[in-house]
């Protein structure tokens, strides 16, 4: 702010430091909020509940931009609802992250030269708990840095006592309802993590491999199969062809020689085989491929496992003990030496599954595992969205949800780990299988021949219970009664499959058909400023803590919120965070200026009859912004509401209302007192509107302006009511809005003319203002102040005249510019614009050119023509406005 920013403030004016320093205030403010219990929810309150459960971050994790993005949006929703009078609960916690955490501790042990087997199960689990207490949960402190308004008194962990009881309870319920069973199936096995992982934890990528075509059989009874995994042929138990394939009809039902072995295998007919793909014959390895497993079941084939848990070959002497890739090379070499390799293609690019935790290539493997029968659970999860009990936002994401839940395979829930919820199944000496509930005793001791299943449950099994287990289920707690179902699940569209569907299935099942949330609000993913996925390999990963250190948490939050369009990815770059820091500084400096000039919230608003058009205009625009922001919040349009707040604050309040009011403040009197009160009201409401997204700077400014305890517990703004104005729904004055919009047009056009003439922004120019009746008369002082127009004086000579929006602005530019040089420059620019127009017209008038040129080229030339026309009009007006003599 400029001219009179250094004037003496009124007595008893609250003071702010000259500069906003986020690092000095953010930590202190956050701890004050927590100490005063602002984020604590009361289950016995009469207020309506509003609940959000946090997607529990891994105990091994730290805050990344994706966390910061979603946490900012959840915090904004919760802070607003709290201000609206809801009993708002945002419940925090962490996931035990079975594989990731066990890997961390095993790495630590390896550095000591030990393994988990050296410790034994009990001691290893104790070691993991020690690691968790010492190193885990770093992200919780980082959430404080960001300003997360979570109820820390209700913090939960998926392995704590209450959640463990919930896991045992639902396992037994599912087991008793015959929705959990044990069976041998093909699973995704990670030879590095040494455990099964679910389908959704497999990430597929295009890898360079090899495709080899191998002759099976002898003499006239041969056929050729192609494979990318030659090492698995040692476990082949058939070759499959389509029953209608004439090439192989004579072989169906016969046995042929399996190369490199002393076995023969049958040729079977199966409609799964595509006769048009490859040779139309496929090798069948039931123990190492899910499709082959299904063929094997249909034809009663033997399953032969040829690799151990580390993907080392365990059969057939020459290759036994070789790693799978070593075996692949050795087997192809042996087949080549026998003349059985018909063709080899390298590299052969194909889709290969990798463990999402360690990036190791997955090995399909037949294994005895525990499964959830998802059919009825998935049906209920789909129906809850179809019948409207749960809304998905944006709605077009529903298709992705249905594509998943309507086609779910049974869920493999057992993991070959030691860290996690151990499966509550006991096996007896005579083959008994007993499921033990949380309040039940095991059926016997080890000495009596009873042993507990050694596997633990998939991490997503416990996190699928999160919306109700964290509230005390299976006990009927006050929290569960008050805060379930939750209101909004805000999460990335990438974990619909991991987490959202699991919670829907378990919530509906455990809570008697009551879905765990009313709305699923799906966000996109954070990407770099070029829209590229953030990855360590790309070198574009950003630590949000670095940006918070440099620019403040508010700047990071506002940048993320301003990019948050529902369901779409969010590009972010440091320049945008710098711009948001500038916005926070602008709010600070403008509020400081307003306070120094007497802006106040004391006393009622003056009667509308006492207000100037400028006062009525800003209050009208304020109410329009309140309504707009409310509507956008309800539609989860964070980017649009942030943009609306930005432009209202910067453009309308700071750049126009404050500037237009400066002359009023300087003049003093009753009009100045009215404007000071209006400005205080506008700042009060604006800061409350901004608070959910930028909590720290708004807290400091609002408490200074109003003297209130905290904006965290202030009321969310409603439309402002102005005495004397008949507007029960909130004051709006369309006449004042039109008047000020026209005034803005006058000022903007004259500023543009000044700039075009090369005048410096602070250069004063004599001017005569002829204003349209009473519309502009009250604004003459402000117009002259903002446009640096001094009184005309006795020697005034109008050398340029601008008619704008009903006003006439005559300027005396003599002595301020070199008219001859300016005329020469403008004439040169005009000639260039006319040449550009002629060239564009020539191309667009050439039928042969239009017939051949692509549409985008023609569109580009049309745009050049339109730009040239605009330039010609502007330059001719500038030439006409110049003095006629130097």
């Amino acid at each position: 702010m400029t001219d009179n920013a250094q004037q003496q403030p009124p007595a008893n004016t609250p003071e702010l430091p000259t500069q906003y320093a986020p690092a000095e205030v953010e930590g202190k403010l956050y701890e004050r909020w927590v100490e005063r219990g602002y984020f604590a929810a009361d289950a016995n309150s009469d207020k309506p509940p509003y609940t959000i459960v946090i997607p529990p971050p891994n105990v091994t994790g730290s805050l990344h931009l994706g966390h910061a993005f979603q946490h900012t949006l959840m915090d904004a929703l919760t802070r607003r609802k709290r201000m609206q009078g809801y009993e708002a609960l945002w419940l925090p916690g962490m996931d035990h992250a079975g594989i990731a955490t066990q890997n961390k501790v095993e790495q630590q042990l390896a550095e000591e030269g030990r393994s988990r087997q050296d410790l034994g199960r009990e001691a290893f689990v104790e070691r993991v708990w020690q690691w968790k207490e010492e190193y885990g949960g770093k992200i919780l402190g980082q959430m404080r840095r960001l300003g997360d308004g979570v109820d820390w008194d209700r913090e939960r962990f998926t392995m704590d006592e209450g959640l463990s009881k919930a896991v045992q309870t639902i396992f037994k319920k599912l087991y008793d309802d015959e929705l959990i069973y044990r069976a041998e199936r093909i699973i995704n096995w990670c030879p590095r993590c040494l455990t099964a992982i679910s389908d959704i934890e497999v990430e597929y990528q295009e890898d360079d491999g090899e495709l080899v075509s191998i002759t099976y059989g002898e003499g006239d009874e041969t056929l050729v199969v192609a494979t990318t995994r030659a090492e698995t042929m040692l476990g082949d138990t058939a070759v499959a062809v389509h029953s209608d394939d004439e090439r192989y009809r004579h072989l169906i039902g016969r046995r042929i020689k399996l190369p490199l072995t002393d076995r023969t295998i049958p040729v079977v007919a199966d409609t799964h085989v595509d006769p048009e793909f490859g040779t139309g014959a496929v090798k069948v390895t039931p123990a190492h491929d899910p499709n082959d497993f299904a063929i094997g079941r249909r034809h009663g084939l033997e399953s032969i496992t040829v690799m151990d848990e580390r993907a080392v070959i365990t059969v057939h002497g020459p290759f036994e003990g070789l790693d799978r890739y070593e075996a692949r090379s050795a087997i192809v070499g042996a087949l080549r030496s026998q003349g059985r390799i018909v063709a080899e293609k390298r590299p052969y690019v194909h889709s290969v599954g990798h463990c999402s935790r360690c990036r190791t290539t997955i090995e399909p493997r037949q294994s005895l595992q525990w499964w959830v029968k998802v059919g009825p659970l998935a049906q209920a999860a789909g129906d809850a969205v179809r019948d409207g009990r749960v809304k998905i936002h944006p709605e077009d994401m529903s298709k992705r949800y249905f594509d998943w839940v309507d086609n779910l395979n049974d869920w493999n829930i057992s993991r070959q780990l030691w860290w996690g919820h151990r499966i509550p199944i006991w096996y007896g000496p005579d083959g008994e299988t007993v499921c033990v509930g949380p309040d039940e005793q095991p059926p016997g001791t080890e000495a009596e021949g009873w042993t507990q299943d050694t596997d633990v449950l998939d991490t997503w099994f416990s996190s699928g219970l999160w919306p109700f287990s964290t509230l005390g289920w299976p006990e009927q707690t006050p929290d569960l009664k008050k805060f379930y179902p939750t209101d909004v699940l805000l999460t990335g569209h990438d974990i619909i499959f991991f987490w959202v569907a699991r919670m829907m299935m378990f919530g509906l099942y455990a809570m008697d058909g009551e879905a765990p949330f009313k709305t699923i609000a799906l966000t996109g993913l954070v990407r770099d400023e070029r829209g590229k996925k953030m990855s360590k390999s790309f070198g574009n990963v950003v630590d949000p803590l670095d940006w918070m250190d440099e620019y403040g948490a508010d700047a990071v939050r506002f940048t993320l919120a301003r990019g948050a369009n529902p369901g779409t990815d969010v590009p972010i770059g440091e320049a945008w965070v710098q711009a948001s820091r500038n916005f926070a500084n602008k709010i600070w400096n403008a509020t400081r200026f307003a306070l120094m000039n007497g802006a106040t919230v004391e006393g009622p608003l003056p009667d509308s009859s006492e207000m100037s058009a400028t006062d009525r205009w800003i209050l009208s625009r304020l109410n329009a912004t309140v309504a707009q922001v409310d509507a956008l919040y309800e539609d989860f349009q964070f980017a649009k509401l942030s943009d609306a707040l930005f432009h209202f604050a910067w453009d309308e309040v700071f750049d126009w209302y404050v500037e237009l009011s400066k002359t009023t403040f300087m003049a003093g009197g009753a009009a100045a007192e009215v404007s000071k009160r209006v400005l205080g009201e506008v700042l009060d409401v604006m800061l409350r509107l901004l608070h959910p997204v930028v909590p720290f700077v708004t807290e400091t400014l609002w408490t200074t302006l109003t003297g209130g305890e905290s904006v965290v517990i202030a009321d969310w703004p409603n439309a402002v009511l102005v005495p004397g104005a008949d507007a029960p729904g909130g004051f709006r004055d369309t006449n004042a809005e039109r008047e000020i919009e026209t005034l803005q047009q006058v000022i903007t056009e004259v500023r543009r003319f000044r700039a075009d003439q090369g005048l410096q922004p602070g250069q004063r120019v004599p001017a005569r203002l002829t204003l349209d009746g009473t519309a502009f008369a009250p604004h003459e002082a402000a117009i002259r102040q903002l446009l640096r127009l001094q009184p005309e004086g006795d020697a005034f000579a109008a050398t340029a005249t601008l008619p704008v929006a009903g006003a006439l602005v005559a300027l005396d530019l003599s002595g301020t510019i070199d008219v001859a040089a300016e005329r020469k420059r403008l004439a040169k620019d005009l000639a260039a614009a006319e040449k550009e127009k002629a060239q564009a017209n020539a191309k667009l008038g050439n039928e042969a050119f239009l017939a051949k040129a692509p549409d985008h080229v023609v569109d580009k030339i049309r745009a050049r023509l339109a730009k040239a026309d605009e330039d010609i009009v502007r330059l001719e007006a500038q030439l006409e406005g110049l003095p006629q003599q130097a």
Side-chain angles (χ1 to χ4, degrees), residues 301-444:
L301 301 176
E302 182 184 5
S303 287
I304 301 175
T305 299
V306 300
M307 285 180 238
D308 68 10
E309 61 183 9
R310 298 184 185 275
V312 172
I313 301 298
T314 58
V315 298
H316 200 68
F319 310 109
E320 189 171 357
L322 295 181
D323 170 82
R324 54 183 165 169
Y325 300 117
E326 295 171 335
R328 181 179 300 174
S329 179
I331 288 170
V332 170
L335 290 167
R336 190 184 298 114
S337 68
Q338 293 183 7
R340 288 185 175 275
I341 300 295
V342 177
E344 298 180 64
K345 184 176 181 181
R346 294 186 184 88
Y348 178 71
V349 179
H350 62 135
S351 181
V352 178
H354 295 260
C355 173
S356 62
R357 299 296 196 286
C358 69
R359 314 306 306 161
T360 301
T361 300
I362 289 301
E363 190 62 46
R365 187 178 189 221
Q366 184 173 321
S367 180
L368 183 62
Q369 301 279 340
W370 285 95
W371 304 81
V372 171
K373 187 185 296 183
V374 300
L377 303 175
Q379 176 70 43
D383 290 346
V385 174
R386 287 189 178 93
D387 63 25
R389 281 175 288 158
V390 178
K391 306 287 187 186
I392 291 181
H393 191 280
E395 191 176 352
D396 58 11
M397 285 282 179
S398 298
K399 182 180 184 302
R400 183 179 297 196
Y401 175 81
F402 291 132
D403 286 346
W404 180 252
V405 298
D406 292 347
N407 297 284
L408 270 179
N409 296 317
D410 284 358
W411 173 18
N412 167 215
I413 56 171
S414 45
R415 299 292 178 265
Q416 290 64 54
L417 303 171
W418 287 356
W419 171 246
H421 295 101
R422 194 164 175 181
I423 290 178
I425 293 289
W426 289 75
Y427 305 107
D430 299 317
E432 302 97 330
T433 299
V434 177
C435 182
V436 178
D439 300 318
E440 299 172 353
Q441 293 298 317

Side-chain angles (χ1 to χ4, degrees), residues 251-268:
L251 291 176
I252 295 173
R254 298 190 181 185
R255 299 185 72 85
I256 61 173
K257 179 75 166 59
L258 177 65
L260 304 182
T261 73
D262 57 1
R263 293 190 292 117
T264 61
I265 57 177
V267 178
V268 299

Side-chain angles (χ1 to χ4, degrees), residues 547-755:
W547 279 353
M548 283 191 268
D549 288 342
E550 182 72 19
Y551 306 111
D554 284 334
V556 174
R557 290 170 62 111
F558 192 71
T559 304
L560 291 165
R562 206 172 177 193
N565 290 299
T568 59
D569 290 347
V570 182
I572 184 172
E574 187 166 6
W576 303 337
V577 184
Q578 292 172 344
S580 295
R581 185 269 315 272
N582 295 343
F583 178 51
N585 288 342
K586 182 79 170 180
I587 300 170
W588 182 274
N589 293 333
T591 304
R592 182 171 179 271
F593 169 83
L595 288 170
M596 292 182 67
N597 282 275
T600 181
V601 296
E602 294 181 6
L605 276 174
D607 192 276
S608 61
S609 62
E610 301 174 33
M611 294 181 183
S612 67
T614 310
D615 295 329
R616 297 194 305 275
W617 164 75
I618 195 62
L619 290 174
S620 186
R621 294 299 309 137
L622 174 66
N623 280 344
T625 303
V626 170
Q628 182 182 15
V629 168
D630 273 333
L632 292 170
Y633 259 117
E634 295 306 314
D635 200 33
F636 303 100
Q637 297 281 357
F638 295 99
K640 290 181 179 179
L641 72 88
S642 298
D643 212 47
L645 287 168
F646 174 87
H647 287 294
F648 174 72
W650 195 306
D651 299 347
E652 297 186 296
V653 178
F654 305 147
D655 281 359
W656 283 109
Y657 182 70
V658 169
E659 294 297 325
L660 287 170
S661 299
K662 281 182 177 179
T663 52
T664 305
F665 293 155
M666 287 189 288
E673 295 306 310
V674 170
S675 292
K676 290 174 185 178
R677 180 63 188 87
V678 169
L679 179 55
E681 186 75 13
V682 170
L683 291 175
D684 171 19
V685 173
M686 183 193 76
L687 291 170
R688 283 185 281 150
L689 288 173
L690 281 164
H691 172 72
V693 180
V694 284
F696 293 107
V697 68
T698 51
E699 171 79 342
T700 304
L701 295 176
W702 187 85
T703 53
T704 304
L705 171 71
T706 68
E709 180 183 340
S710 173
V711 70
V712 177
I713 55 173
D715 290 337
W716 181 253
N718 294 313
V720 174
L721 300 176
V722 176
D726 185 18
F731 176 78
R732 292 300 302 272
D733 190 328
T734 55
N735 290 331
E737 289 194 35
R738 281 194 296 269
E739 180 175 330
I740 302 303
E741 285 169 8
T742 308
L743 174 63
Q744 290 171 330
Q745 185 181 349
V746 171
I747 293 171
T748 301
E749 289 299 320
V750 176
R751 280 176 171 166
R752 182 180 294 120
F753 179 79
R754 284 176 57 105

Side-chain angles (χ1 to χ4, degrees), residues 809-832:
V809 182
L811 305 173
D812 182 354
L813 301 179
S814 57
T816 61
I817 61 172
D818 184 337
V819 176
E822 187 65 13
R823 188 175 292 280
K824 183 177 180 181
R825 181 184 71 79
L826 291 172
K828 181 180 178 181
D829 290 348
L830 179 60

Side-chain angles (χ1 to χ4, degrees), residues 479-495:
D479 275 5
L480 190 65
K481 183 178 180 181
K482 177 77 172 181
F483 297 112
Y484 188 92
T486 68
D487 288 85
V488 177
L489 173 70
L490 190 143
T491 191
H493 61 64
D494 57 322
I495 62 169

Side-chain angles (χ1 to χ4, degrees), residues 857-876:
V857 172
V858 176
D859 290 342
K860 188 174 181 180
I861 293 170
R862 287 183 177 135
R864 283 168 49 194
L865 176 61
K867 176 68 166 57
D869 282 334
E870 290 177 6
D871 289 344
I872 289 168
V873 171
R874 176 176 58 82
L875 292 165
E876 285 178 342

